[in-house]
Amino acid sequence: MISNAWCYLLYLYGLIIDSLSICNNGDHLSASHINRTQFPLQYMGNWHFLAASAGPGTNALEIFKVMDNAQFTVQAGLEEEKLEFRASIKVKDGSCVPRKWIYLLTEGSTKLRTEGHPDRLTELFSCRCPECVVLKETDNSTARLLLYSRSQQLEDVCMEEFRRKSSCEGYKDVIQIPQKLEICHLT
């Protein structure tokens, strides 16, 4: 009798925990607030890379563990269907690492391809945090979410939203970029 009651209580506990962990529609990634008529103009200018997430057991976040901060600028490429990204990454040892790559625009879509990496797809998603964007990068070996903001500092509620959305997408490992050192200025 006691063991039956105990089993019943454990069963109810499991149901409660499951109901609390189910993601509602607001917690999944959404591109609903991306202005497709203004795309990609609303993304031009400077951005700060703040966090990344990936599925457990992958090495998709290793590249970010050496970073202290990163500033990016987005500008139109010389050709109409290209976006040029330039980055200045401050590594935890204090050095600055410049990076540059090109995204290829897909007509009528906010999906991007990376020049030189035909298997990599980048999708943009809106979030409730003002002046923020979430990118989802996938290729043959990697799947991760990246959080960018126009501001270097982000309110805790925004980071919690990113963690919640990451979890709902199945990405349990989250790394927040420390931003303790002075930023490297873009050249």
Side-chain angles (χ1 to χ4, degrees):
M1 172 98 167
I2 292 177
S3 67
N4 286 342
W6 183 247
C7 288
Y8 180 72
L9 284 174
L10 286 175
Y11 174 75
L12 284 177
Y13 176 76
L15 285 177
I16 291 169
I17 293 300
D18 278 349
S19 70
L20 293 176
S21 65
I22 293 174
C23 299
N24 64 37
N25 288 338
D27 288 335
H28 288 285
L29 290 174
S30 170
S32 63
H33 290 95
I34 292 176
N35 183 340
R36 284 169 174 70
T37 61
Q38 289 294 312
F39 183 80
L41 296 177
Q42 75 257 41
Y43 297 107
M44 301 297 178
N46 292 335
W47 292 88
H48 297 275
F49 174 56
L50 300 178
S53 64
T58 70
N59 64 354
L61 300 181
E62 288 301 312
I63 191 170
F64 305 121
K65 289 182 178 178
V66 298
M67 287 184 181
D68 178 77
N69 64 64
Q71 183 180 23
F72 292 79
T73 189
V74 181
Q75 60 190 31
L78 297 176
E79 298 173 41
E80 200 171 296
E81 65 279 351
K82 294 183 178 186
L83 288 178
E84 183 179 299
F85 274 59
R86 291 181 319 155
S88 187
I89 300 165
K90 177 74 96 167
V91 181
K92 289 179 181 176
D93 70 4
S95 61
C96 293
V97 179
R99 288 283 184 257
K100 181 179 173 182
W101 65 96
I102 294 180
Y103 280 122
L104 306 172
L105 299 170
T106 305
E107 188 174 329
S109 173
T110 59
K111 295 179 180 179
L112 306 169
R113 296 279 180 192
T114 306
E115 190 173 74
H117 299 278
D119 62 328
R120 185 173 299 154
L121 177 66
T122 302
E123 299 174 81
L124 288 92
F125 297 95
S126 54
C127 59
R128 286 179 285 194
C129 295
E131 300 293 320
C132 290
V133 66
V134 174
L135 274 65
K136 181 177 183 178
E137 283 186 348
T138 54
D139 61 28
N140 294 335
S141 62
T142 305
R144 60 186 171 214
L145 298 179
L146 309 171
L147 176 64
Y148 292 86
S149 174
R150 296 278 189 187
S151 171
Q152 191 174 2
Q153 298 301 317
L154 198 61
E155 294 179 23
D156 290 341
V157 67
C158 294
M159 187 55 66
E160 284 308 311
E161 180 190 8
F162 178 72
R163 288 180 191 280
R164 192 173 49 255
K165 287 187 183 303
S166 295
S167 180
C168 288
E169 294 296 318
Y171 301 150
K172 305 298 183 200
D173 296 337
V174 177
I175 184 170
Q176 190 169 353
I177 307 304
Q179 300 187 50
K180 295 183 192 261
L181 303 174
E182 185 177 331
I183 65 171
C184 297
H185 295 284
L186 293 164
T187 55

